[in-house]
């Protein structure tokens, strides 16, 4: 088992063998769960993040605390690892470029550029015939007015960049609200998205390997609370043709991006009779909160799957052995750890964060059920 | 979530809340898997071991490289953690005593003293009515001769202390071989154990919490190769009354030892008609190789169960969601990682050890099967 860094990175397509080291940008819970998954495969991790509190660093062989624009620290970091990946999609392009001169960065620049900008993302999807909500670019008052005229209301104005968990969004119920909505997001470049009367939100966690093979977990249903994911039901209650369509859409996206790694694809399911029934809402070029259930309900978790992909290993089998309901522990929810830990059939995951601020993701729990027995009353 | 060390250790029965730190003696694969399990619960670890190569240190927040008799380093280590546990049973009594002055040590001194000495262990079991193979103490040529006369041959001479994986053992086929056998184990204090014509080797992974509650996983069947565990079949094919008896024996042992943590209890299953059918072979006061399958076939692994126990958390549900066959990767076996990783339904675990020496445990794989479908041809 070679543990050498040098022979591997000389070829950007090389496989990272056991003993190799993975660099992870970001020190939060996703990096932490990636690091423990890597450890199970005999790999070690080096965490790079600017924050003093970095839950991922507690389970990593090395950690660098530096800014994402510190070119020297980035180069040293990338030189010390066999491959670089990340736990968040807003990695600056310049950061990725510097890292890429020293080690392969997976997923690559195209995935980052596409996922960081809602307009680029939507145009990418449309250009490949993947249905989305109707959208129009908004850069100023004139294009705002044109967009409202074309898309109609109700509609949602979303900043092109750096939006997440409902941040950087404003609803426009009627044309008269457009001006104020644009002000509320600071007149940033945005897209106006037509309101879609969806029935449910579903998502697919898909992976693509270095060899181009893809593997998609079963579609799941997501329920949000205050714009933050609250619960994921695995699997989503879907006719098998629709489930197959959702998986195929996700696979098409990673194929078209020549993607390497795990991606979360969020979708809207429209009511029966609509055509198409499935629209893509957005993609996350990383492991995704709606895939946490895979840790407990599958032999191969999304975290291990991502590590396998970015290291050039064969993808794992995404089969479920159990049904599952994942519930996020937000803020004070985590204070119930003791009673949750005592609940039979429940797996508890805590992220090692010191302070339970409101809205902060502190952990999650997964309730397991035998295959095919997800209780209907658990849904919604 | 208090992360404080001081308020917790002032009371040796205190519960270690998320944010707390666990000290682990030993830096091998068991410590490594304990550390990643602790991380999932929001706890961090400090590894203490003398070896430069310590796979566990790569997934721990802190590591101390020092000898097990370095009183000063031990005290500093124990002062920095909320509880101390260990991955190997041969922790010197003096080491445990020093640590115990600074932090609770779990499992406790009684478990260590019992498991470290085959004579103490066998007498402990016998005194609680738990069947074992017949045995007699051997300290010199005279007691050897008396033991052979009482136990008969064939029999096995085993050093009282520090034996594992078949080391420190010598078979005595007939009385004439006794003298040479005693020489081959260096005339160390030993026990002579009567040969037991067992049908199969089984084991039970049992846990006992700080609250005295116990939880036992289903008994499994173990197959050895060259005196090292080769495969574990979960569950063992056993009538349910026998499986219940095996679990009850394991629970009685941890109860009688006032034990806290996970214990591996190795047993011999005698052929139908024998009474009793189950003898206890030996106990390991730690997580155990024959429990590795729990990582993939149960919601709560033996590693998480041990962390829960030593931290005073409620024990997890030991229920299986799948049947499983665990196979150790010894030495060069691990070179097949790439084809193993590509096998559907297989979970691969590698320990991050640099050198694949013959006989060295490098990893393991678990093949999963739906409940009740363990293929009969997989057994033995």
């Amino acid at each position: 088992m070679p543990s050498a860094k040098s022979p591997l990175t000389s070829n950007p397509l090389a496989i990272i063998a056991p003993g190799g080291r993975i660099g992870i940008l970001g020190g939060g819970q996703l990096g932490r769960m990636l690091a423990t998954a890597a450890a199970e495969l005999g790999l070690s991790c080096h965490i790079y993040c600017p924050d003093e509190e970095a839950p991922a660093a507690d389970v990593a062989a090395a950690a660098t605390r530096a800014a994402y624009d510190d070119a020297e620290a980035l180069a040293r970091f990338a030189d010390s690892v066999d491959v670089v990946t990340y736990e968040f999609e807003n990695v600056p392009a310049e950061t990725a470029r510097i890292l890429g001169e020293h080690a392969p960065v997976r997923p690559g620049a195209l995935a980052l550029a596409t996922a960081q900008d809602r307009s680029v993302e939507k145009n990418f999807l449309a250009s490949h015939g993947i249905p989305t909500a109707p959208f129009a670019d908004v850069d100023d008052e004139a294009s705002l007015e044109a967009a409202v005229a074309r898309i109609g209301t109700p509609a949602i104005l979303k900043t092109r960049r750096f939006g997440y968990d409902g941040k950087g969004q404003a609803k426009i119920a009627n044309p008269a609200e457009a001006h104020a909505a644009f002000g509320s997001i600071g007149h940033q470049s945005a897209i106006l998205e037509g309101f879609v009367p969806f029935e449910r939100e579903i998502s697919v966690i898909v992976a693509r390997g270095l060899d181009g093979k893809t593997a998609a977990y079963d579609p799941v249903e997501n329920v949000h609370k205050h714009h933050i994911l609250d619960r994921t039901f695995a699997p989503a209650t879907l006719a098998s043709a629709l489930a197959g369509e959702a998986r195929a859409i996700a696979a098409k996206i990673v194929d078209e991006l020549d993607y390497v790694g795990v991606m979360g694809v969020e979708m809207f399911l429209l009511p029966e009779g609509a055509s198409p029934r499935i629209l893509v809402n957005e993609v996350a070029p990383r492991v995704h909160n709606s895939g946490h259930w895979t840790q407990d309900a599958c032999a191969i978790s999304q975290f291990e799957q991502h590590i396998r992909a970015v290291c050039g290993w064969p993808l794992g089998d995404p089969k479920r052995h159990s049904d599952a309901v994942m519930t996020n522990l937000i803020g004070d929810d985590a204070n119930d750890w003791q009673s949750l830990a005592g609940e039979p059939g429940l797996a508890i995951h805590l992220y090692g964060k010191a302070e339970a601020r409101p809205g902060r993701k502190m952990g999650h729990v997964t309730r397991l059920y035998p295959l095919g027995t997800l209780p209907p009353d658990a849904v919604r």
Side-chain angles (χ1 to χ4, degrees), chain A:
Chain A
M1 287 194 200
S3 73
K5 134 96 188 149
S6 32
L8 292 170
T9 50
S10 60
N11 171 1
L13 283 183
I15 287 164
I16 318 299
R21 183 157 292 188
I22 300 163
I24 300 177
L25 291 182
Q29 67 267 19
L30 300 181
R32 179 177 171 101
M33 292 185 275
L34 285 169
T36 54
E40 284 294 338
L41 300 178
L43 298 151
S44 65
C45 291
H46 184 158
I47 304 295
Y48 187 107
C49 74
D51 316 301
E52 199 38 55
E53 189 190 37
D58 279 352
V59 288
T64 295
R65 256 86 175 189
Y68 291 125
D69 61 0
D70 182 336
E72 212 173 295
L74 288 167
R76 258 201 318 273
F77 163 72
D79 276 335
S80 77
V81 300
D82 296 308
V83 63
V84 173
T85 190
Y86 40 87
E87 62 152 16
F88 64 109
E89 57 270 47
N90 288 321
V91 175
E94 176 63 7
T95 303
R97 194 196 57 75
I98 296 169
L99 293 167
E101 288 177 352
H102 300 265
V105 176
R106 298 172 185 157
L110 179 60
L112 281 174
T114 305
Q116 284 176 0
D117 185 312
R118 289 185 200 278
S119 177
V120 175
E121 179 180 83
K122 285 277 199 298
N123 280 298
F124 160 79
L125 294 168
S127 72
H128 291 285
I130 296 168
T132 68
F135 67 95
D137 285 351
V138 173
D139 293 307
D140 50 28
E141 296 288 346
S143 53
L144 173 66
E145 200 171 313
V148 171
R150 183 154 78 79
I151 304 293
T153 54
I156 303 166
L157 196 63
K158 298 179 173 179
T159 57
R160 286 176 61 160
R161 302 177 67 88
F162 303 116
Y164 67 96
D165 286 351
K167 293 185 175 76
Q169 302 194 6
K171 202 175 161 188
I172 300 180
N174 59 65
E177 293 180 7
H179 179 74
F182 196 31
S184 79
I185 62 162
H187 301 98
Q188 294 178 76
S189 286
I191 62 167
L192 186 71
E193 206 176 276
F195 179 78
V196 176
F198 62 86
E199 188 185 279
R200 293 183 263 159
E201 289 190 51
I202 62 173
S203 63
V204 173
I205 304 298
V206 64
R208 187 166 176 274
L210 211 50
D211 57 4
K213 288 187 183 151
T214 62
Y217 292 93
D218 282 332
V220 295
E221 179 172 344
N222 301 311
V223 177
H224 291 75
K225 206 193 259 181
H226 311 305
H227 298 288
I228 300 175
L229 181 65
D230 177 39
R231 279 170 299 159
T232 295
F233 299 91
T237 309
L238 280 186
S240 74
L242 268 181
E245 191 186 327
R247 276 195 300 265
I249 289 172
K252 187 175 167 65
I253 293 172
V254 287
D255 272 338
E256 296 294 353
L257 286 171
D258 195 22
Y259 190 83
V260 175
V262 158
M263 170 180 278
V265 183
E266 300 179 14
M267 303 173 182
F268 295 133
L269 182 71
L270 303 193
E272 201 149 350
S275 178
R277 291 282 309 275
I278 295 175
L279 306 181
V280 171
N281 177 30
E282 66 179 53
V283 306
R286 54 168 170 79
V287 289
H288 193 257
N289 197 165
S290 76
H292 288 2
W293 61 277
T294 60
Q295 293 177 311
D296 298 301
C298 300
I300 312 293
S301 74
Q302 66 164 345
F303 302 99
E304 176 174 339
Q305 192 75 300
H306 186 76
I307 297 295
R308 283 172 171 249
V310 302
C311 290
W313 290 37
L315 293 182
D317 185 355
K319 202 171 65 174
R320 266 178 312 113
H321 55 64
S322 301
D323 289 356
V325 180
M326 189 288 305
T327 305
N328 270 332
L329 303 178
I330 308 289
D332 287 343
D333 293 351
N335 293 343
D336 296 333
W337 64 271
Q338 219 162 346
S339 63
L340 289 167
E343 188 183 318
L346 179 145
I348 186 167
H349 303 264
L350 298 170
Y351 304 150
K353 296 179 182 176
E355 202 192 333
R357 292 195 293 270
R360 196 174 199 207
K361 291 177 179 171
M362 301 298 291
H364 66 274
V365 297
T366 306
R367 290 179 174 86
L368 289 180
Y369 305 90
L371 266 190
T373 70
L374 190 64
D377 64 351
V379 180
R380 270 162 310 272

